[in-house]
Amino acid sequence: MRSTSPVWHPFTQHAVQGEIPTIVRTEGAWLEAEDGHRIFDAISSWWVVTHGHRYPPIMAAIRAETERLDQVIFAGFTHPPAEALARELVAITAPELTHVFYSDSGSTAVEVALKMALGFWLHSGENRRRILALEGAYHGDTIGGMSVGERGVFNAPYEPLLFDVGRLPFPHHGREQQTLDALDAACRDHAVAALIVEPLILGAGGMLIYAPAVLAEMARICRRHGVLLIADEVMTGWGRTGALFACEQAGVAPDIACTSKGLTGGVIPLAATLCSEPIFAAHYDEDRRKTFFHSSSYTANPIACAAALANVKVWQSEPVIQRIAALAAIHAKALDRFRGDKRFENIRQLGSIAALDLVVPDAGYLADIGPRLYRHFLARDLLVRPLGNTIYLMPPYCSTEAEIGRVYDAIAAIEL
Ligand code: PMP
């Protein structure tokens, strides 16, 4: 039956969705529905919540900031939370990243990154406009983000709006050299401005993992050809892969890095695109046409910046990496029981993320099994949103072994 609510939900086919739970309270790794029952948030509410829902120091920082500031125009003005946060972000990322541009979502962080890259080359007097991206990538749902993302079901209707990019094969295990060779060949074209990658793991593209050594080699090839490297750390940032940022695991310093989601601990929207000094310098000119023409009304919202600053302090004062390591050990132990189980294949894990594929005749995002799996988990009070036949867990770092065990028990109970 068609819902009477006027709300149109994201990535939701209302014709098949079924009833949509109304959540009235969140706590730790749990969502509480209006009828009182609790749902375990095994995917951190779309990968944003890191320490747990309503993590006290972050909520306290938000409350405190609301006593001082609301929104302040960020063109020609600044404020303490934005300044302090930018200094922290520069301090905790690669030393090459020296400037911080704020926006509001992962998609806008990517748009900003692409615009920075093109602006850099234009203002440097070189005609480099082509972007390279990985097959299967997902970088958001704005036009630029969709353009660099894999073409397919997510963006097919908008194809006429999307710009052409150079696509590199995903570095599947054993076939990494193909990717590196394709990158090297593509970079010989002097029109290439930048390569954009999700470091170490494709998120919405199916939780596909590749080795840090491959990322490091991609960075070296880019450097050799003067091609900018954009790291989209929107999903991978803030500990998901076991390190604060995934690039650290490969010893890679990108020219541009995008962060959002866990930036505020997942409480409130905020994004930042960090860039190197040469990129800022290329836009720094008395010629006002070289201004970086990107804005959004809510750029660097002070309350969001205060939340992010509190999140950085949590990272500095609490053993977050150890919590993630403990979570990774729980996954590793739990995944073992599915090895040799004929229903599953490609059992994999990176830090706090675990994934496995169900063996079905129609793999992919629209696999028939997808909606059935979603209902299977929801019926057990578990929020798991399989990507087609790919089941993954990405729980908040406060999740316990018993909580995570419930999800693995539910996976074990799947009947094909
Ligand atoms: N990049 C990556 C790697 C993502 O996973 C996502 C969102 N899942 C985005 C960009 C877009 O972020 P947002 O949904 O906040 O716009």
Side-chain angles (χ1 to χ4, degrees), residues 358 360 362 366-374 386 388-390 414-416:
L358 266 176
V360 289
D362 62 334
L366 291 185
D368 269 349
I369 192 87
R372 202 147 66 77
L373 285 173
Y374 178 77
N389 61 316
T390 298
I414 292 170
E415 286 173 19
L416 284 172

Side-chain angles (χ1 to χ4, degrees), residues 265-279:
V267 177
I268 191 168
L270 183 68
T273 306
L274 283 81
C275 74
S276 64
E277 176 60 28
I279 292 171

Side-chain angles (χ1 to χ4, degrees), residues 240-319:
R240 293 289 178 202
T241 71
L244 178 57
F245 291 102
C247 280
E248 290 171 16
Q249 298 203 42
V252 161
D255 301 285
I256 303 175
C258 308
T259 178
S260 186
K261 292 192 187 280
L263 171 57
T264 62
V267 177
I268 191 168
L270 183 68
T273 306
L274 283 81
C275 74
S276 64
E277 176 60 28
I279 292 171
F280 180 80
H283 292 82
Y284 188 88
D285 201 294
E286 284 173 14
D287 179 350
R288 287 163 59 217
R289 284 171 303 183
K290 293 189 179 176
T291 303
F292 188 56
F293 287 111
H294 191 97
S295 74
S296 61
S297 315
Y298 283 102
T299 303
N301 175 266
I303 297 163
C305 288
L309 206 49
N311 170 49
V312 172
K313 290 207 180 93
V314 169
W315 274 87
Q316 289 163 344
S317 60
E318 298 184 24

Side-chain angles (χ1 to χ4, degrees), residues 25-36:
R25 198 180 163 80
T26 56
E27 184 96 56
W30 293 86
L31 312 176
E32 189 181 315
E34 62 183 345
D35 64 4

Side-chain angles (χ1 to χ4, degrees), residues 46-47 104-108 110 138-141 198 203-204 232-236 260-261:
W46 254 351
W47 322 343
D104 338 277
S105 72
S107 300
T108 54
V110 167
Y138 178 85
H139 294 289
D141 283 339
E198 293 167 80
D232 176 353
E233 293 251 19
V234 169
M235 186 275 266
T236 52
S260 186
K261 292 192 187 280

Side-chain angles (χ1 to χ4, degrees), residues 1-3 12-21 374-375 378:
M1 205 185 59
R2 211 166 153 155
S3 161
T12 299
Q13 178 43 267
H14 285 264
V16 299
Q17 175 69 27
E19 205 190 324
I20 293 184
Y374 178 77
R375 287 192 292 272
L378 202 55

